[in-house]
Amino acid sequence: FPVTIRHEEKTKFRIRFLPVQESRIRKPWIEAKYHMFERDGDNKYFKVLDPRIFNKDAKNPISDLATKLWNSDNALDKEKAKKYFTKKRYFTLVYVKEAPENQKEYIGKVLVFEAGQKIYEKLAAAIDDFDMCFWDPFKGKDFMLVVKQTGGEQKWPDYSQSNFIGSDGPIVEDEEEMTKIEKQLKTVTVKSV
């Protein structure tokens, strides 16, 4: 779901991670690699999935270009190459429990969430270090997604203050709301490729 950050403020969402049925790695996320780069002239960013996630023998001209630039003796080419390298992202399902005033329409919805490296590290540590099954709808744990802007002129989202909160328990107490969540889970899917 798209998170809108208001100026320099922190934006907070209380969410619950949910199981991803199609995950081949038995974790609550699907991993994908893609290229993200800025188009010259209009500052628009593009995301292009790495075709090798569908077929390991597929050709990838963007990756070939990045390698060619990286192998150059020119320092500017090497800098440009970094922009074309693949980036890992993790896609998971979340149930939004609380949201900022300007994004209340997400409350009560099951959505696909694209997690970057910072969030992934927090989720992996919860599993590896604490043996936590935070995505269990009945015995899981809420997560406070905290987003703020960092960086100079180019603003980037910073998720470092995000973390698990509260104690283990059901995602909601109301059985009717739990039924709504189950129905949404059947219509919102994250598929492994």
PDB file of all heavy atoms in Angstrom, residues 148-164:
ATOM      1  N   LYS A 148       9.615   8.092   8.330  1.00  0.00           N
ATOM      2  CA  LYS A 148       9.940   9.516   8.313  1.00  0.00           C
ATOM      3  C   LYS A 148      10.869   9.764   7.141  1.00  0.00           C
ATOM      4  O   LYS A 148      11.468   8.837   6.597  1.00  0.00           O
ATOM      5  CB  LYS A 148      10.555   9.972   9.629  1.00  0.00           C
ATOM      6  CG  LYS A 148      11.885   9.367   9.960  1.00  0.00           C
ATOM      7  CD  LYS A 148      12.436   9.923  11.251  1.00  0.00           C
ATOM      8  CE  LYS A 148      13.862   9.440  11.439  1.00  0.00           C
ATOM      9  NZ  LYS A 148      14.535  10.115  12.514  1.00  0.00           N
ATOM     10  N   GLN A 149      10.970  11.002   6.742  1.00  0.00           N
ATOM     11  CA  GLN A 149      11.835  11.346   5.622  1.00  0.00           C
ATOM     12  C   GLN A 149      13.226  11.700   6.127  1.00  0.00           C
ATOM     13  O   GLN A 149      13.376  12.385   7.127  1.00  0.00           O
ATOM     14  CB  GLN A 149      11.264  12.532   4.839  1.00  0.00           C
ATOM     15  CG  GLN A 149      10.039  12.162   4.041  1.00  0.00           C
ATOM     16  CD  GLN A 149       9.540  13.325   3.197  1.00  0.00           C
ATOM     17  OE1 GLN A 149       9.755  14.473   3.517  1.00  0.00           O
ATOM     18  NE2 GLN A 149       8.857  13.008   2.127  1.00  0.00           N
ATOM     19  N   THR A 150      14.233  11.225   5.393  1.00  0.00           N
ATOM     20  CA  THR A 150      15.615  11.578   5.702  1.00  0.00           C
ATOM     21  C   THR A 150      16.305  11.974   4.409  1.00  0.00           C
ATOM     22  O   THR A 150      15.757  11.833   3.329  1.00  0.00           O
ATOM     23  CB  THR A 150      16.370  10.395   6.335  1.00  0.00           C
ATOM     24  OG1 THR A 150      16.318   9.291   5.436  1.00  0.00           O
ATOM     25  CG2 THR A 150      15.790  10.006   7.664  1.00  0.00           C
ATOM     26  N   GLY A 151      17.507  12.422   4.541  1.00  0.00           N
ATOM     27  CA  GLY A 151      18.275  12.813   3.367  1.00  0.00           C
ATOM     28  C   GLY A 151      18.204  14.310   3.146  1.00  0.00           C
ATOM     29  O   GLY A 151      17.344  14.995   3.696  1.00  0.00           O
ATOM     30  N   GLY A 152      19.086  14.803   2.345  1.00  0.00           N
ATOM     31  CA  GLY A 152      19.134  16.235   2.037  1.00  0.00           C
ATOM     32  C   GLY A 152      18.011  16.636   1.117  1.00  0.00           C
ATOM     33  O   GLY A 152      16.842  16.578   1.466  1.00  0.00           O
ATOM     34  N   GLU A 153      18.381  17.040  -0.096  1.00  0.00           N
ATOM     35  CA  GLU A 153      17.378  17.476  -1.069  1.00  0.00           C
ATOM     36  C   GLU A 153      16.499  16.326  -1.519  1.00  0.00           C
ATOM     37  O   GLU A 153      15.305  16.462  -1.677  1.00  0.00           O
ATOM     38  CB  GLU A 153      18.070  18.089  -2.291  1.00  0.00           C
ATOM     39  CG  GLU A 153      18.241  19.587  -2.185  1.00  0.00           C
ATOM     40  CD  GLU A 153      18.865  20.163  -3.424  1.00  0.00           C
ATOM     41  OE1 GLU A 153      18.432  19.816  -4.536  1.00  0.00           O
ATOM     42  OE2 GLU A 153      19.794  20.967  -3.264  1.00  0.00           O
ATOM     43  N   GLN A 154      17.133  15.173  -1.760  1.00  0.00           N
ATOM     44  CA  GLN A 154      16.356  14.002  -2.167  1.00  0.00           C
ATOM     45  C   GLN A 154      15.882  13.300  -0.907  1.00  0.00           C
ATOM     46  O   GLN A 154      16.665  12.786  -0.133  1.00  0.00           O
ATOM     47  CB  GLN A 154      17.203  13.045  -2.994  1.00  0.00           C
ATOM     48  CG  GLN A 154      17.196  13.369  -4.463  1.00  0.00           C
ATOM     49  CD  GLN A 154      17.787  12.213  -5.253  1.00  0.00           C
ATOM     50  OE1 GLN A 154      18.811  11.659  -4.881  1.00  0.00           O
ATOM     51  NE2 GLN A 154      17.142  11.853  -6.333  1.00  0.00           N
ATOM     52  N   LYS A 155      14.590  13.303  -0.692  1.00  0.00           N
ATOM     53  CA  LYS A 155      14.018  12.705   0.513  1.00  0.00           C
ATOM     54  C   LYS A 155      13.794  11.211   0.307  1.00  0.00           C
ATOM     55  O   LYS A 155      13.259  10.790  -0.711  1.00  0.00           O
ATOM     56  CB  LYS A 155      12.685  13.365   0.863  1.00  0.00           C
ATOM     57  CG  LYS A 155      12.780  14.859   1.106  1.00  0.00           C
ATOM     58  CD  LYS A 155      13.499  15.158   2.384  1.00  0.00           C
ATOM     59  CE  LYS A 155      13.498  16.638   2.669  1.00  0.00           C
ATOM     60  NZ  LYS A 155      14.388  16.999   3.725  1.00  0.00           N
ATOM     61  N   TRP A 156      14.208  10.416   1.300  1.00  0.00           N
ATOM     62  CA  TRP A 156      14.004   8.974   1.264  1.00  0.00           C
ATOM     63  C   TRP A 156      13.283   8.552   2.534  1.00  0.00           C
ATOM     64  O   TRP A 156      13.515   9.101   3.595  1.00  0.00           O
ATOM     65  CB  TRP A 156      15.352   8.251   1.184  1.00  0.00           C
ATOM     66  CG  TRP A 156      16.099   8.565  -0.065  1.00  0.00           C
ATOM     67  CD1 TRP A 156      17.148   9.419  -0.204  1.00  0.00           C
ATOM     68  CD2 TRP A 156      15.839   8.054  -1.360  1.00  0.00           C
ATOM     69  NE1 TRP A 156      17.567   9.461  -1.501  1.00  0.00           N
ATOM     70  CE2 TRP A 156      16.778   8.635  -2.247  1.00  0.00           C
ATOM     71  CE3 TRP A 156      14.902   7.163  -1.887  1.00  0.00           C
ATOM     72  CZ2 TRP A 156      16.812   8.350  -3.604  1.00  0.00           C
ATOM     73  CZ3 TRP A 156      14.944   6.882  -3.243  1.00  0.00           C
ATOM     74  CH2 TRP A 156      15.883   7.466  -4.084  1.00  0.00           C
ATOM     75  N   PRO A 157      12.418   7.547   2.432  1.00  0.00           N
ATOM     76  CA  PRO A 157      11.739   7.070   3.636  1.00  0.00           C
ATOM     77  C   PRO A 157      12.698   6.312   4.553  1.00  0.00           C
ATOM     78  O   PRO A 157      13.532   5.546   4.092  1.00  0.00           O
ATOM     79  CB  PRO A 157      10.638   6.145   3.094  1.00  0.00           C
ATOM     80  CG  PRO A 157      11.060   5.777   1.717  1.00  0.00           C
ATOM     81  CD  PRO A 157      11.969   6.853   1.224  1.00  0.00           C
ATOM     82  N   ASP A 158      12.587   6.553   5.847  1.00  0.00           N
ATOM     83  CA  ASP A 158      13.408   5.904   6.856  1.00  0.00           C
ATOM     84  C   ASP A 158      12.478   5.098   7.763  1.00  0.00           C
ATOM     85  O   ASP A 158      11.574   5.650   8.380  1.00  0.00           O
ATOM     86  CB  ASP A 158      14.153   6.974   7.653  1.00  0.00           C
ATOM     87  CG  ASP A 158      14.961   6.403   8.814  1.00  0.00           C
ATOM     88  OD1 ASP A 158      14.952   5.177   9.026  1.00  0.00           O
ATOM     89  OD2 ASP A 158      15.595   7.199   9.525  1.00  0.00           O
ATOM     90  N   TYR A 159      12.702   3.786   7.829  1.00  0.00           N
ATOM     91  CA  TYR A 159      11.846   2.887   8.607  1.00  0.00           C
ATOM     92  C   TYR A 159      12.525   2.402   9.886  1.00  0.00           C
ATOM     93  O   TYR A 159      12.019   1.498  10.545  1.00  0.00           O
ATOM     94  CB  TYR A 159      11.472   1.660   7.755  1.00  0.00           C
ATOM     95  CG  TYR A 159      10.648   1.988   6.543  1.00  0.00           C
ATOM     96  CD1 TYR A 159      11.238   2.238   5.317  1.00  0.00           C
ATOM     97  CD2 TYR A 159       9.263   2.035   6.620  1.00  0.00           C
ATOM     98  CE1 TYR A 159      10.479   2.538   4.198  1.00  0.00           C
ATOM     99  CE2 TYR A 159       8.489   2.336   5.510  1.00  0.00           C
ATOM    100  CZ  TYR A 159       9.109   2.583   4.304  1.00  0.00           C
ATOM    101  OH  TYR A 159       8.345   2.876   3.205  1.00  0.00           O
ATOM    102  N   SER A 160      13.657   2.973  10.257  1.00  0.00           N
ATOM    103  CA  SER A 160      14.474   2.442  11.354  1.00  0.00           C
ATOM    104  C   SER A 160      13.769   2.440  12.709  1.00  0.00           C
ATOM    105  O   SER A 160      14.121   1.658  13.586  1.00  0.00           O
ATOM    106  CB  SER A 160      15.797   3.191  11.449  1.00  0.00           C
ATOM    107  OG  SER A 160      15.572   4.565  11.675  1.00  0.00           O
ATOM    108  N   GLN A 161      12.770   3.291  12.918  1.00  0.00           N
ATOM    109  CA  GLN A 161      12.077   3.333  14.208  1.00  0.00           C
ATOM    110  C   GLN A 161      10.891   2.366  14.278  1.00  0.00           C
ATOM    111  O   GLN A 161      10.214   2.279  15.300  1.00  0.00           O
ATOM    112  CB  GLN A 161      11.617   4.755  14.507  1.00  0.00           C
ATOM    113  CG  GLN A 161      12.776   5.708  14.707  1.00  0.00           C
ATOM    114  CD  GLN A 161      12.328   7.125  14.996  1.00  0.00           C
ATOM    115  OE1 GLN A 161      11.146   7.409  15.165  1.00  0.00           O
ATOM    116  NE2 GLN A 161      13.276   8.048  15.052  1.00  0.00           N
ATOM    117  N   SER A 162      10.645   1.632  13.222  1.00  0.00           N
ATOM    118  CA  SER A 162       9.552   0.651  13.197  1.00  0.00           C
ATOM    119  C   SER A 162       9.903  -0.540  14.076  1.00  0.00           C
ATOM    120  O   SER A 162      11.068  -0.935  14.150  1.00  0.00           O
ATOM    121  CB  SER A 162       9.313   0.165  11.768  1.00  0.00           C
ATOM    122  OG  SER A 162       9.007   1.238  10.921  1.00  0.00           O
ATOM    123  N   ASN A 163       8.884  -1.117  14.732  1.00  0.00           N
ATOM    124  CA  ASN A 163       9.155  -2.290  15.561  1.00  0.00           C
ATOM    125  C   ASN A 163       7.855  -2.943  16.033  1.00  0.00           C
ATOM    126  O   ASN A 163       6.782  -2.365  15.907  1.00  0.00           O
ATOM    127  CB  ASN A 163      10.011  -1.933  16.771  1.00  0.00           C
ATOM    128  CG  ASN A 163      11.068  -2.990  17.009  1.00  0.00           C
ATOM    129  OD1 ASN A 163      10.861  -4.169  16.711  1.00  0.00           O
ATOM    130  ND2 ASN A 163      12.204  -2.577  17.534  1.00  0.00           N
ATOM    131  N   PHE A 164       8.000  -4.139  16.600  1.00  0.00           N
ATOM    132  CA  PHE A 164       6.854  -4.855  17.164  1.00  0.00           C
ATOM    133  C   PHE A 164       6.424  -4.183  18.458  1.00  0.00           C
ATOM    134  O   PHE A 164       7.258  -3.670  19.199  1.00  0.00           O
ATOM    135  CB  PHE A 164       7.218  -6.322  17.411  1.00  0.00           C
ATOM    136  CG  PHE A 164       7.388  -7.092  16.135  1.00  0.00           C
ATOM    137  CD1 PHE A 164       8.646  -7.270  15.589  1.00  0.00           C
ATOM    138  CD2 PHE A 164       6.292  -7.596  15.465  1.00  0.00           C
ATOM    139  CE1 PHE A 164       8.809  -7.952  14.396  1.00  0.00           C
ATOM    140  CE2 PHE A 164       6.449  -8.282  14.271  1.00  0.00           C
ATOM    141  CZ  PHE A 164       7.705  -8.456  13.734  1.00  0.00           C
TER     142      PHE A 164
END
